[in-house]
């Protein structure tokens, strides 16, 4: 069932929360809505759920407008950020809430509840447990089971992983993906975490100031964002040394001057020739030049300011001509703070934006 | 989302405004407009000044004692002490052997005021900025410096609210001043009672009520704000315990404890029979108004817009004596005499305010549950059946018990509305107490003091469900 948002506009006390948002969301696709706090993404979700009313525009499901329907009659269910589990009901009763309203009773209801709990990884021992006696991850699983129990056509997820710690988040992210894929559910998932959005989404919508800034496939948007704002929302960027463009830190490579080859940081994603074998020491040591072009490749020299281990990768801060640039490496760099290094990048990876965006 | 049934809600608010606020206010205004003897402003100002000095002194003392008590005792216990009838505390202070006068008034007032201030402080303490306190300690600030730099600015709004409430209660008090003051202490509340009941001077009564109303309006607004803040602090942690406050709790319990020996040793007499005769009507009036108040309080606490809270809480900010006087004057204008019905009407707004306050605090954040229920397909009937009723009935029952305890112990408003001789237990008890009945008074005062304990035990039982 295609979900269509047509020219949605909403303001609170004169402050525009959504401005003329229009987008078509294909059936059974996992769509992530990204944006900074206050960008209007939760407002959009609540309008689709029927919990807020838009000032203008309409929401359509398979071409049929939902605008006149109250929240309780819309075929969409929400996984709330704080889960909103009913505190007076046990886990099984929370899950049974929507099926009961649909008239399901007796063994059939029990079987569905047990199947859903099992689907999200909660065993029988949870059936009578109240939400207050469950951990954050368990509550999140229960909220997912409850939202799925009413067999919605679309599942709306309002930052469902925000309150969880990193390892738990990764596991539940995979669970979300599996469970929704198996059911062929359309999902609209609000998040401000680029990693979460890039990992889950088939299609990514980026919001800012109540407007839709960009829409597209996650990898494409990451590689070629239409504006600096979108680029920054999707990950860190660093200025192009000596230029007016921007680079992803993993596309800026550094090596100690005098050493051999440079490492290729992203050969799979960008299979162009990244490996720079030809930054000569002579080029890097020219005192009056911080940026050089060797052949058709740009290069520069600078000084390492700091090195940090980020777990699965390393981050190097390099000062080039008075500006600080970031480089991310998949392994420990062979340099130390204060050391002179050569930096190189592929010009095809340089992100360039219109002046007002930059 | 637009509020459903908006015209119904507006009609309800209008009805409330007329019954709880406009009618008594109109009665007082009409009374003030009547020709009669002048107000004698100098005498009134002298009483006001005397009342203010006593109130200021007691408020300062109560606020100083409240902080350690707030750290030592949990909210249900504090509420229990707040709910003990002022009349029981006044009689208890005398039973301790204190002679009527400032000392007895001070003890009777502090036994209720300190727990009330501690209750307000404790709600604020739950949101104490732990990270700032940790940061201050980390930067080398000692306990006193941390209190001054971090804790005090955080607690200041609660202290301010408590100060206004306590000062209003002390100035508006008629019951404790009449029983424990023995004619040596005068308050504005007592002056109001005499203006209405003894001197038949409605203009003076209107002038006193106007003073209270002027202070009560901002106080109700501050109460509503404080309540919202307390509701938002549900996730907050209990403040670290400090045992020093337990000694203060002993001071608050002393007047009630002093009633035990005379209550059990003095033989039953004519006073007991008189009070026993008033018991059924008192229980019926208090019970009916408590049930209605709890229902209205839960309804408004769940569904009324937050901006209505000051109007709903205003009866809580007005001393009972002001309410009783205002309603009596208004009823006379309408040709309606004192009695159980008038007492019921007079007590109801204060009880609704108590229930509303409790419901707002209990149901803070319930809106997201309603959103979740709607999102899962629950219409109004299903939400009422599966969500609101199971959530609201234990809270409603507990609030009804609190409102009941409040109404049973009230002698401030009922002294005006119950009629000559006193048709409620508390008023009858006050009359006997002033008459010096040594047997029945401590016994029944102890009974009044234990009503909150019973209510609290039942409420705790319901809460566990």
């Amino acid at each position: 069932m295609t979900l269509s948002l047509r020219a949605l506009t909403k303001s609170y006390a004169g402050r525009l929360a959504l401005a003329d948002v229009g987008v078509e969301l294909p059936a059974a696709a996992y769509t992530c809505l990204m944006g900074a706090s206050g960008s209007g993404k939760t407002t959009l979700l609540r309008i689709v759920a029927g919990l807020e009313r838009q000032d203008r525009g309409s929401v359509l499901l398979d071409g049929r407008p939902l605008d006149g329907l109250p929240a309780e009659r819309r075929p969409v269910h929400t996984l709330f950020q704080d889960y909103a589990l009913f505190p007076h009901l046990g886990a099984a009763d929370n899950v049974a809430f929507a099926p009961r309203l649909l008239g399901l009773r007796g063994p059939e209801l029990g079987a569905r509840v047990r199947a859903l709990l099992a689907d999200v990884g909660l065993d029988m021992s949870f059936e009578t447990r109240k939400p207050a006696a469950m951990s954050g991850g368990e509550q999140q699983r229960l909220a997912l089971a409850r939202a799925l129990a009413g067999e919605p056509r679309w599942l709306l997820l309002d930052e469902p992983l925000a309150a969880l710690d990193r390892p738990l988040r990764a596991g539940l992210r995979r669970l979300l993906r599996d469970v929704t894929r198996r059911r062929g559910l359309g999902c609209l998932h609000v998040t401000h975490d680029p990693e979460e959005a890039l990992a889950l989404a088939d299609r990514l919508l980026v919001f800012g100031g109540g407007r839709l800034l960009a829409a597209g496939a996650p990898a494409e948007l990451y590689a070629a964002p239409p504006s600096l704002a979108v680029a920054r929302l999707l990950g860190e960027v660093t200025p192009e040394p000596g230029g007016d463009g921007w680079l992803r830190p993993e596309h800026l490579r550094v090596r100690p001057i005098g050493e051999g080859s440079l490492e290729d940081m992203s050969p799979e994603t960008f299979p162009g020739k990244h490996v720079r074998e030809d930054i000569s020491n002579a080029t890097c040591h020219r005192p009056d030049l911080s940026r050089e072009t060797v052949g058709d490749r740009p290069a520069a020299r600078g000084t390492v300011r700091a090195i940090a281990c980020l777990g699965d990768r390393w981050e190097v801060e390099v000062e080039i001509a008075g500006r600080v640039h970031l480089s991310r490496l998949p392994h420990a760099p062979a340099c130390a703070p204060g050391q002179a290094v050569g930096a190189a990048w592929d010009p095809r990876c340089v992100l360039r934006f219109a002046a007002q965006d930059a | 989302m637009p509020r459903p049934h908006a015209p119904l809600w507006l009609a309800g608010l209008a009805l409330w405004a007329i019954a709880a606020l406009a009618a008594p206010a109109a009665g007082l205004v009409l009374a003030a407009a009547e020709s009669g003897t002048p107000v004698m402003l100098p005498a009134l100002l002298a009483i006001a000044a005397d009342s203010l000095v006593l109130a200021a002194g007691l408020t300062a003392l109560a606020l100083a004692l409240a902080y350690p008590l707030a750290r030592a005792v949990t909210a249900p216990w504090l509420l229990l002490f707040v709910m003990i009838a002022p009349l029981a505390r006044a009689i208890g202070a005398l039973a301790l052997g204190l002679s009527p006068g400032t000392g007895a008034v001070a003890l009777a007032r502090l036994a209720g005021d300190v727990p009330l201030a501690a209750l307000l402080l404790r709600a604020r303490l739950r949101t104490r900025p732990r990270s700032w306190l940790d940061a201050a300690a980390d930067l080398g600030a000692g306990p006193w410096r941390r209190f001054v730099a971090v804790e005090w600015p955080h607690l200041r709004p609660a202290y301010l609210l408590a100060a206004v409430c306590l000062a209003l209660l002390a100035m508006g008090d008629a019951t404790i001043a009449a029983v424990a003051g023995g004619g040596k202490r005068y308050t504005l509340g007592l002056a109001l009672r005499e203006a209405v009941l003894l001197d038949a001077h409605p203009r003076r009564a209107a002038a006193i009520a106007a003073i209270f109303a002027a202070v009560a309006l901002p106080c109700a607004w501050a109460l509503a704000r404080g309540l919202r803040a307390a509701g938002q602090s549900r996730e907050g942690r209990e403040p670290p315990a400090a045992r020093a406050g337990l000694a203060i709790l002993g001071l608050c319990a002393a007047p009630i404890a002093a009633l035990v020996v005379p209550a059990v040793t003095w033989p039953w007499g004519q006073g007991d029979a008189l009070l026993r005769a008033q018991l059924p009507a008192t229980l019926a009036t208090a019970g009916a108004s408590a049930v209605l108040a709890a229902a209205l309080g839960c309804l408004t606490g769940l569904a009324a817009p937050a901006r209505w809270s000051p109007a709903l809480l205003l009866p809580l900010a007005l001393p009972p004596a002001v309410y009783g006087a205002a309603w009596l004057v208004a009823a006379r204008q309408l040709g309606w005499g004192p009695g159980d019905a008038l007492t019921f009407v007079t007590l109801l707004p204060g009880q609704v305010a108590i229930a509303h306050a409790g419901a707002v605090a209990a149901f803070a954040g319930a809106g997201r549950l309603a959103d979740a229920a709607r999102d899962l397909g629950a219409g109004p009937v299903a939400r009422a059946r599966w969500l609101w009723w199971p959530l609201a009935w234990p809270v409603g029952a507990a609030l009804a018990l609190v409102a009941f305890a409040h109404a049973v112990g009230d002698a401030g408003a009922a002294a005006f509305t119950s009629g000559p001789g006193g048709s409620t237990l508390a008023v009858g008890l006050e009359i006997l107490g002033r008459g010096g009945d040594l047997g029945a008074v401590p016994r029944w005062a102890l009974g009044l003091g234990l009503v909150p304990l019973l209510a609290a035990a039942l409420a705790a039982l319901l809460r566990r469900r």
Side-chain angles (χ1 to χ4, degrees):
Chain A
M1 282 190 148
T2 307
L3 185 64
S4 312
L5 313 178
R6 303 252 171 97
L8 287 177
T9 301
K10 172 80 183 173
S11 57
Y12 295 104
R15 191 187 146 271
L16 207 59
L18 280 182
D20 205 24
V21 173
V23 67
E24 295 277 325
L25 306 176
Y30 204 110
T31 305
C32 278
L33 238 81
M34 261 209 73
S37 296
S39 60
K41 50 194 195 304
T42 297
T43 302
L44 179 70
L45 206 70
R46 288 178 66 82
I47 287 174
V48 175
L51 298 168
E52 296 276 352
R53 188 163 290 169
Q54 66 270 31
D55 298 336
R56 278 205 319 275
S58 63
V59 180
L60 299 99
L61 198 62
D62 261 358
R64 281 179 306 167
L66 296 181
D67 307 317
L69 287 180
E72 55 265 31
R73 291 179 54 202
R74 295 191 181 197
V76 297
H77 289 342
T78 307
L79 182 52
F80 293 89
Q81 186 175 3
D82 60 355
Y83 316 136
L85 292 166
F86 303 124
H88 58 294
L89 301 178
D93 284 330
N94 261 290
V95 177
F97 192 91
R100 270 200 190 110
L101 292 167
L102 296 171
L104 217 60
R105 295 282 186 278
E108 201 185 342
L109 175 65
R112 184 190 285 191
V113 168
R114 274 190 292 278
L116 276 162
L117 285 174
D119 227 12
V120 298
L122 296 176
D123 59 38
M124 300 284 283
S125 67
F126 284 92
E127 275 192 43
T128 52
R129 211 183 288 183
K130 294 273 173 73
M134 299 169 80
S135 71
E138 288 161 356
Q139 287 187 17
Q140 205 270 355
R141 286 163 191 267
L142 178 59
L144 175 61
R146 188 183 69 171
L148 294 171
E151 299 191 334
R153 309 292 167 86
W154 272 79
L155 185 62
L156 312 175
L157 304 104
D158 188 4
E159 305 205 27
L161 308 178
L164 305 176
D165 55 37
R166 199 180 163 90
L168 205 54
R169 209 156 55 209
L172 286 167
R173 194 172 65 205
R174 284 190 282 273
L175 174 76
L176 261 180
R177 179 87 184 182
D178 291 347
V179 167
T180 54
R181 274 267 162 87
R182 272 207 304 275
R183 288 174 162 74
L185 260 180
C187 293
L188 187 54
H189 178 136
V190 161
T191 180
H192 63 261
D193 180 355
E195 191 181 305
E196 194 176 304
L198 291 166
L200 281 168
D202 300 321
R203 186 174 158 79
L204 188 57
L205 309 178
V206 183
F207 271 73
R211 291 173 196 283
L212 184 61
L213 300 178
E220 284 169 18
L221 279 182
Y222 183 82
S227 66
L228 182 57
V230 173
R232 281 192 163 136
L233 279 169
L234 292 175
E236 217 160 351
V237 287
T238 191
E240 179 193 15
D244 58 356
W246 298 82
L247 286 163
R248 295 287 183 202
E250 63 268 28
H251 296 148
L252 183 67
R253 292 162 295 133
V254 294
R255 66 145 205 199
I257 287 170
E259 279 195 7
S261 64
L262 288 168
E263 293 283 339
D264 185 356
M265 298 301 110
S266 51
E268 288 83 19
T269 318
F270 300 99
K273 191 182 176 190
H274 282 258
V275 181
R276 299 286 295 113
E277 306 286 355
D278 50 354
I279 302 177
S280 68
N281 287 350
T283 300
C284 289
H285 277 100
R286 279 173 62 172
D288 56 336
L289 191 67
S290 63
R291 178 176 170 165
E292 265 299 308
T293 302
V294 181
D296 60 340
R297 306 284 177 182
R301 68 164 200 155
T303 309
V304 173
R305 276 173 51 128
I307 297 171
C309 174
L310 305 180
D312 55 352
R313 64 226 143 106
W314 290 73
E315 186 174 88
V316 183
E317 277 182 38
V318 189
E319 190 174 324
I320 300 170
R323 288 172 90 186
V324 176
H325 302 262
L326 289 180
S327 170
R328 293 230 174 99
L329 311 172
H331 53 71
C335 54
Q339 195 175 343
V341 288
W345 62 97
D346 189 321
R348 285 169 298 177
C349 297
V350 175
L351 307 172
R352 296 190 192 283
F353 310 109
Q356 67 268 27
D357 291 329
Chain B
M1 290 292 285
R3 185 164 295 278
H5 316 301
L8 263 178
W9 276 105
L10 281 176
L13 181 67
L15 195 66
W16 168 263
I18 290 168
L21 309 172
L28 282 173
V29 170
L30 286 173
E34 280 178 10
S35 58
T37 49
V39 172
M40 290 191 294
L41 205 58
L44 186 61
L45 286 177
I47 294 171
D50 188 39
S51 182
L52 190 64
V53 167
L54 180 70
L58 289 177
T59 299
L61 195 54
L63 291 179
L65 294 173
Y67 181 75
L69 186 63
R71 295 274 302 266
V73 182
T74 58
W77 281 100
L78 292 172
L79 184 64
L80 176 69
F81 278 86
V82 172
M83 282 161 59
I84 292 173
L87 179 60
R89 286 187 263 130
I91 295 169
L94 296 178
L96 272 173
L98 294 174
S99 54
T102 307
V105 169
L107 181 63
R109 282 236 60 85
L110 288 174
D113 287 357
V114 178
L116 175 59
L119 195 62
L120 295 170
L121 286 185
R122 193 171 174 92
R124 189 74 181 164
L125 276 171
R126 281 171 60 87
T127 60
R128 68 207 292 267
R130 282 177 57 87
S131 56
W132 296 358
L133 288 166
D134 291 347
D138 182 64
L139 292 167
W144 173 245
R145 190 72 207 141
R146 287 203 297 275
F147 180 83
V148 170
V150 181
E151 192 120 60
W152 169 246
H154 177 69
L155 286 177
R156 202 161 40 205
Y159 264 108
L160 191 66
L161 179 62
V164 175
C165 286
L166 297 192
L168 263 176
L169 281 172
M171 288 201 301
D173 165 61
T175 308
I176 290 177
V179 174
K184 294 174 191 160
R185 287 308 320 193
Y186 229 65
T187 63
L188 270 181
L190 199 53
L192 178 64
R193 188 190 280 191
E194 292 191 356
V196 175
L197 298 181
L198 292 181
D199 306 340
H201 200 318
R203 292 182 72 183
R204 198 195 312 153
I208 296 170
I211 295 172
F212 280 118
V215 188
L217 284 170
C219 184
W221 179 78
L223 264 174
R225 276 182 58 116
L227 197 61
R228 261 206 304 281
Q232 285 158 3
S233 72
R234 291 167 69 79
E235 306 306 325
R237 282 189 260 184
E238 294 294 327
R243 299 267 165 238
L246 290 176
I248 298 165
L249 194 69
L251 176 82
C252 300
I256 294 300
L259 292 169
V260 175
V261 173
V264 295
T265 52
W266 281 83
W268 291 74
Q270 198 184 358
D272 294 294
L274 277 170
L275 293 175
R276 202 165 36 234
Q278 286 164 339
L279 193 59
T282 302
L283 294 180
T285 308
S289 60
V291 170
L292 185 59
L296 289 173
C298 282
L299 189 69
T300 56
L302 272 170
R307 62 179 177 277
W308 290 12
S309 270
L312 291 162
L313 292 173
L314 186 62
L316 210 56
L318 279 167
V322 177
Y323 231 81
W327 256 113
L328 180 64
V329 173
R332 277 179 187 160
Q333 300 278 340
L334 296 167
W336 186 10
D340 289 337
L342 187 59
T343 302
F344 176 89
V345 171
T346 309
L347 288 176
L348 189 64
Q351 288 175 298
V352 172
I354 289 172
H356 173 76
V360 167
F363 297 135
R368 70 198 170 88
L369 298 180
D371 278 354
R374 291 181 64 205
D375 182 73
L376 291 167
V381 176
R383 287 202 296 277
R385 181 179 170 192
W386 297 106
L387 183 65
W388 295 133
W389 175 247
L391 280 178
W393 86 260
V395 175
L399 290 173
L401 286 168
V402 172
F404 174 76
H406 170 79
V408 166
D410 174 79
F416 292 88
T417 56
S418 58
S423 63
T424 75
L425 177 64
V427 177
L429 186 59
E430 187 188 326
I431 293 167
L432 282 182
R434 277 186 286 160
D437 186 313
L438 294 176
V441 169
R443 193 159 29 244
W444 288 84
L446 181 65
L448 277 188
L450 293 180
V451 167
L453 190 66
L454 196 66
L458 280 170
L461 208 67
L462 288 167
R463 200 180 157 198
R464 221 167 269 152
R465 288 182 59 115

